[in-house]
Amino acid sequence: MALVTTKKMFEKAYKGKYAIGAFNVNNMEIIQGIVEGARAQKSPVILQASKGALKYIGPRYLKAMVDAAVADTGIDIALHLDHGPDLNTVKICIENGFTSVMFDGSRYDYEENVRKTREVVKYAHACGVVVEAELGVLAGVEDNVQSNMNIYTDPDQAVDFVNSTDVDSLAIAIGTSHGAFKFPVNFKPQLKFDILEKIQSKLPGFPIVLHGASAVDPDTIEVCNKYGAKIAGAKGIPVEMLRKASSMAVCKINMDTDLRLAMTAGIRKVLVEKPSEIDPRKYLGAGRNLIKELVEKKIGGVLGSSNTL
Ligand code: G3H
Ligand code: 13P
Ligand code: ZN
C-alpha cells in the first residue's frame, strides 16, 4: 500500500457525485483521528498540510507519520500541500514524498497567477504529482492573503485558466470563507451555485475544490465555551449547501476549522473536568476521539464518500 495521487479519487468522486474530504493535519493525534474516521467509513481521504503545518511538524516527520497511517489502515490516502505559496515550497514537498500540491496564486493578477501556476504544473507533473490551483479570492484569511470580501471566480476565466495551465483541479470562490468567523452572525450564507453550474458545464468532468468549508458547529462551540473558551460570533457554511456542491463538480472539500474546534472541545473538557490530569494521552486522546467522530460525520453526512474504497 502506498500514498496515491488524487487523480483516480477525483474521477470516481465526480462520477459518483460525492466529494473527498481534505482535512488539515498538524500533529499525530489529528492524523490518527482523521485516518481512523475515514477507515471506519471505508472512504479515501486527503491529508493536507499548510506551510505553517510544515514548519510546525517538519516535512520528514509528517511523511513518516502519514506512511504509518497508510500501512496501518490500507485506505487510499493522498498527502497534499495546502495553499503552497511558491515553487520552492512545492519542491520541498515533492522531495519529501507529497503526492499532490496546491499552488495558491490567487493573490497575483490573472496573468501572473497563470504564469506561476504553469511553472509549478510543469515541475510537479514531471515528478508524477498532481496540482491544484486557485482562481478568485475567498473572504477571510488565507496564507499570505488577507481579504474582507469575496471575488467570485469568473467561469470564462476558469476555462481559460485550466486550459492555459494544465492544472489538475481548481479551487474556486463561490461564497465560502476561511476560519471560524466566516460571516456576520445575522448574515444568511448562500453559495453561488449558478457560478458552479456554469463552470461545470464549461469544464465537464473537471474536478472543482472548495476551500473554507467548515460548518462551525454551534454545539461544538458550546462545549468549548462551557469549558472555558471564549468564542463568540463564529459562523460556518450550512452543511446542506456542501452536500449539494459534493453532488456537483466539487470533488474536494477542505476543512480545518472544524477539526480545530473538535480538538479544542475534547482537550478543554478533560482539563476542566479533571484539573489534576497531567497525562497528555488523556486529553490529546479525547481530542483525537472527537476528530474521528467529526470525520465520520463529514464523510457520511456531508461528503457522501462512505463505502467508496
Ligand atoms: O486555509 C488555511 C488552513 O486552515 C491552514 O491554516 O495556515 O494556520 O495552518 P494554517
Ligand atoms: P476552514 O477554515 O473553513 O476549515 O477551511 C480550511 C481550508 O480551506 C484549508 O485550505
Ligand atoms: Zn484553504
Side-chain angles (χ1 to χ4, degrees):
M1 212 52 193
L3 282 175
V4 295
T5 75
T6 53
K7 199 168 171 44
K8 286 209 177 87
M9 275 186 197
F10 288 169
E11 280 168 12
K12 262 183 90 175
Y14 198 102
K15 285 192 193 119
K17 297 185 183 299
Y18 60 87
I20 309 292
F23 300 101
N24 286 71
V25 299
N26 290 286
N27 67 13
M28 184 189 76
E29 284 77 10
I30 296 175
I31 293 172
Q32 290 175 328
I34 296 167
V35 166
E36 286 307 322
R39 174 177 32 194
Q41 286 297 313
K42 301 188 174 56
S43 169
V45 75
I46 299 166
L47 300 177
Q48 58 185 14
S50 67
K51 192 172 181 199
L54 289 171
K55 192 167 166 219
Y56 181 76
I57 313 179
R60 256 206 302 254
Y61 262 94
L62 173 62
K63 175 62 165 44
M65 287 193 284
V66 173
D67 280 343
V70 172
D72 276 3
T73 60
I75 63 171
D76 285 346
I77 298 176
L79 178 57
H80 174 77
L81 166 65
D82 188 30
H83 292 286
D86 48 42
L87 181 60
N88 190 42
T89 310
V90 164
K91 284 183 176 172
I92 291 169
C93 288
I94 292 177
E95 278 160 16
N96 280 281
F98 281 50
T99 55
S100 173
V101 291
M102 176 190 193
F103 170 68
D104 181 358
S106 61
R107 66 193 178 282
Y108 297 112
D109 66 31
Y110 180 70
E111 282 72 28
E112 193 67 352
N113 190 0
V114 168
R115 196 185 64 73
K116 286 183 185 285
T117 302
R118 203 191 282 141
E119 206 181 358
V120 168
V121 169
K122 202 172 159 206
Y123 181 87
H125 281 183
C127 304
V129 168
V130 290
V131 181
E132 170 188 329
E134 180 169 321
L135 196 57
V137 178
L138 272 71
V141 181
E142 301 197 15
D143 288 9
N144 305 318
V145 187
Q146 199 159 9
S147 162
N148 292 321
M149 51 179 277
N150 270 90
I151 300 174
Y152 296 124
T153 305
D154 174 71
D156 289 320
Q157 206 174 51
V159 176
D160 184 71
F161 187 87
V162 168
N163 291 335
S164 307
T165 58
D166 198 23
V167 78
D168 301 280
S169 61
L170 184 66
I172 60 169
I174 55 166
T176 58
S177 168
H178 287 104
F181 306 94
K182 299 185 190 301
F183 312 104
V185 185
N186 294 323
F187 182 83
K188 206 164 170 281
Q190 181 57 58
L191 298 189
K192 302 284 278 176
F193 287 107
D194 53 328
I195 297 181
L196 178 57
E197 259 162 27
K198 277 194 193 132
I199 293 174
Q200 181 162 7
S201 72
K202 285 169 188 282
L203 291 168
F206 188 80
I208 297 300
V209 179
L210 281 192
H211 281 244
S214 278
V216 187
D217 174 29
D219 291 346
T220 312
I221 304 253
E222 206 180 302
V223 176
C224 290
N225 286 342
K226 182 176 169 193
Y227 295 105
K230 287 195 172 70
I231 305 168
K235 193 168 178 125
I237 311 291
V239 289
E240 61 278 7
M241 291 185 195
L242 297 170
R243 212 174 290 135
K244 181 171 171 182
S246 303
S247 73
M248 299 171 68
V250 171
C251 294
K252 172 175 180 271
I253 294 193
N254 284 14
M255 285 166 273
D256 184 7
T257 299
D258 283 346
L259 301 181
R260 294 179 179 197
L261 289 170
M263 190 88 191
T264 302
I267 292 172
R268 277 190 176 277
K269 184 168 189 290
V270 172
L271 291 180
V272 170
E273 283 183 345
K274 297 182 186 150
S276 61
E277 183 59 72
I278 61 159
D279 181 346
R281 293 169 296 189
K282 296 287 168 22
Y283 50 85
L284 294 178
R288 181 171 66 182
N289 289 344
L290 289 193
I291 286 188
K292 176 175 183 274
E293 268 176 35
L294 174 82
V295 167
E296 283 213 60
K297 269 195 217 148
K298 296 285 185 190
I299 288 173
V302 182
L303 303 157
S305 66
S306 311
N307 302 308
T308 63
L309 282 176

